[in-house]
């Protein structure tokens, strides 16, 4: 059955490639531009630096600035605090990659990695404020209330889901004293690993952007096209939501925030890619997305509907 399904999909893909080369080229160009102008410059330096920090153990020194606060909030190890930092600041899929790196290097346990994966792999604040709010929704000023609401929900999920995971928050104390001197072989390994990862991410972005282009061939209502686009890829979904004519600004904001919170199947594939050599599963991340998604929809709508001061942002 699986072979028949695969053959059908492959045949359909070949048919579309030969019959609609313009759409293929447009999707490839858009995906490549998105990867080259946004993903590559924003993620590659962080991947190389994070790889060095993990391999040398120097991230423990960085942890001293914030770990005592995060340990009290989430009851995690000091090493796990580094995952929280990167997962909230660096964007998809850096949280998942750092989690996998720390699990593979033995700094955190697989159980702690599963817990952190559920809420520490989000869109970056720069993407949320610049791409979603400023470019997409046309906010004249950063909507800090909406920003705090958006990022407080994964934090709340992390706090509420902690009792369902059983690991010691004292793990990692032994590793804190182990520091390794960086050298060129280590740097070469971090660079090659980062380039391999970011290239795979580019492939997924191009593939899903091409698939999103074929939605234009479907004779379905605009809301259905918007939903499918948001389901596939986050940036294409936000573009379609914000350019839709049949929604008010409040509903555009609600749906755009929900799209950014979920990330789409493209982010799901990217997350699975960076977890492939670790004992972690993308299901733990996906579970967190599916649980928080309806909460994002509800609370964002209630907040925007009840806060008339936000009208000044558009």
């Amino acid at each position: 059955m699986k072979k028949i399904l695969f053959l059908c999909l492959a045949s359909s893909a070949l048919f579309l490639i030969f019959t609609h080369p313009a759409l293929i080229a447009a999707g490839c160009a858009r995906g490549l531009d998105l990867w080259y102008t946004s993903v590559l410059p924003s993620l590659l330096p962080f991947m190389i630096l994070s790889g060095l920090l993990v391999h040398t153990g120097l991230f423990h020194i960085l942890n001293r600035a914030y770990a005592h606060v995060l340990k009290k909030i989430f009851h995690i190890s000091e090493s796990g605090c580094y995952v929280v930092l990167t997962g909230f600041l660096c964007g998809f899929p850096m949280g998942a990659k750092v989690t996998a790196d720390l699990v593979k290097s033995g700094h955190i346990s697989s159980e702690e990695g599963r817990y952190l994966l559920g809420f520490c792999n989000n869109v970056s604040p720069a993407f949320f404020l610049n791409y979603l709010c400023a470019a997409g929704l046309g906010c004249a000023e950063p909507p800090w209330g909406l920003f705090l609401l958006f990022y407080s929900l994964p934090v709340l999920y992390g706090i509420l889901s902690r009792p369902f995971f059983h690991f010691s928050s004292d793990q990692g104390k032994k590793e804190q004293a182990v520091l390794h001197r960086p050298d060129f072989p280590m740097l070469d390994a971090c660079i090659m690993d980062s380039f391999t990862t970011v290239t795979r991410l580019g492939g997924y972005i191009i593939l899903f952007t091409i698939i999103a282009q074929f939605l234009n061939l479907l004779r379905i209502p605009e809301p259905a096209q918007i939903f499918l686009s948001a389901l596939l890829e986050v940036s294409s979904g936000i573009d379609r939501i914000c350019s839709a004519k049949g929604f008010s600004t409040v509903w555009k904001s609600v749906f755009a925030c929900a799209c950014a919170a979920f990330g789409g199947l493209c982010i799901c594939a990217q997350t699975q890619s960076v977890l492939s050599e670790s004992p972690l599963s993308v299901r733990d991340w996906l579970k967190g997305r599916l649980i928080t998604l309806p909460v994002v929809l509800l609370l964002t709508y209630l907040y925007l509907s009840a806060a008339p001061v936000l009208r000044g942002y558009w």
Side-chain angles (χ1 to χ4, degrees):
M1 185 65 183
K2 291 183 179 180
K3 291 183 179 180
I4 296 175
L5 180 60
F6 176 78
L7 287 174
C8 292
L9 291 175
S11 301
S12 301
L14 285 174
F15 176 77
L16 291 173
I17 288 173
F18 285 112
T19 56
H20 298 85
L23 281 179
I24 295 289
C28 186
R30 173 175 167 73
L32 187 60
D33 179 70
L34 179 63
W35 176 76
Y36 182 74
T37 59
S38 300
V39 176
L40 185 65
S42 62
L43 284 187
L44 184 60
F46 284 107
M47 286 184 177
I48 296 174
L49 177 60
S50 178
L52 281 173
L53 290 175
V54 172
H55 282 83
T56 59
L58 291 174
F59 72 94
H60 290 298
I61 299 176
L62 181 64
N63 274 351
R64 295 173 184 172
Y66 54 84
H68 62 286
V69 176
L70 297 181
K71 287 180 67 176
K72 292 180 180 179
I73 295 175
F74 299 108
H75 302 287
I76 55 179
S77 66
E78 187 167 316
S79 297
C81 296
Y82 181 61
V83 176
V84 179
L85 177 71
T86 55
F88 278 88
L89 294 184
C90 300
F92 293 127
M94 274 299 294
K97 177 169 173 52
V98 173
T99 304
D101 289 343
L102 291 180
V103 170
K104 288 187 291 185
S105 61
H107 288 288
I108 63 175
S109 66
S110 297
E111 183 74 0
E112 184 173 2
R114 290 181 57 240
Y115 165 68
L116 293 169
L117 193 59
F119 69 99
C120 292
N121 190 40
N122 309 288
V123 296
S124 68
F127 179 91
F128 183 85
L129 291 174
N130 296 330
Y131 192 88
L132 191 155
C133 295
L137 298 174
C139 297
E141 301 176 16
W144 295 114
L146 183 62
F147 176 87
L148 292 175
L149 174 64
F150 182 83
Y151 285 99
S152 65
L153 293 178
V155 172
L156 182 62
Y157 174 82
I159 295 173
L160 295 179
S161 64
R162 178 62 179 90
F164 298 96
F165 295 86
H166 306 286
F167 58 88
S168 174
S169 60
D170 294 329
Q171 179 167 343
K173 288 185 176 181
K174 182 179 179 180
E175 289 88 345
Q176 292 175 20
V178 180
L179 299 178
H180 302 282
R181 180 180 299 176
D183 50 30
F184 281 106
M186 182 185 296
L187 178 60
D188 287 344
C190 292
I191 290 175
M192 290 305 300
D193 178 64
S194 299
F195 265 105
T196 300
T197 301
V198 80
T199 302
R200 288 204 308 262
L201 301 186
Y204 283 115
I205 291 172
I206 292 172
L207 175 62
F208 278 89
T209 305
I210 291 174
I211 296 174
Q213 286 291 317
F214 282 106
L215 294 178
N216 298 321
L217 300 177
L218 301 178
R219 296 182 178 180
I220 57 177
E222 184 184 23
Q225 285 203 6
I226 292 174
F227 172 78
L228 291 175
S229 182
L231 182 65
L232 287 171
E233 205 273 322
V234 59
S235 58
S236 298
I238 290 175
D239 286 345
R240 283 182 176 260
I241 290 170
C242 295
S243 61
K245 298 179 180 179
F247 299 111
S248 65
T249 302
V250 170
W251 279 113
K252 286 182 181 180
S253 304
V254 171
F255 291 142
C257 287
C259 179
F262 177 63
L265 296 179
C266 181
I267 297 299
C268 186
Q270 294 177 38
T271 301
Q272 176 60 43
S273 176
V274 299
L275 297 177
S276 59
E277 297 179 0
S278 74
L280 303 175
S281 171
V282 71
R283 289 192 297 270
D284 294 301
W285 173 79
L286 193 57
K287 184 192 302 181
R289 300 295 104 178
L290 295 178
I291 291 175
T292 56
L293 182 59
V295 183
V296 170
L297 283 167
L298 176 61
L299 294 186
T300 304
Y301 173 74
L302 292 177
Y303 174 73
L304 293 176
S305 300
V309 68
L310 286 176
R311 296 172 186 169
Y313 286 113
W314 293 282

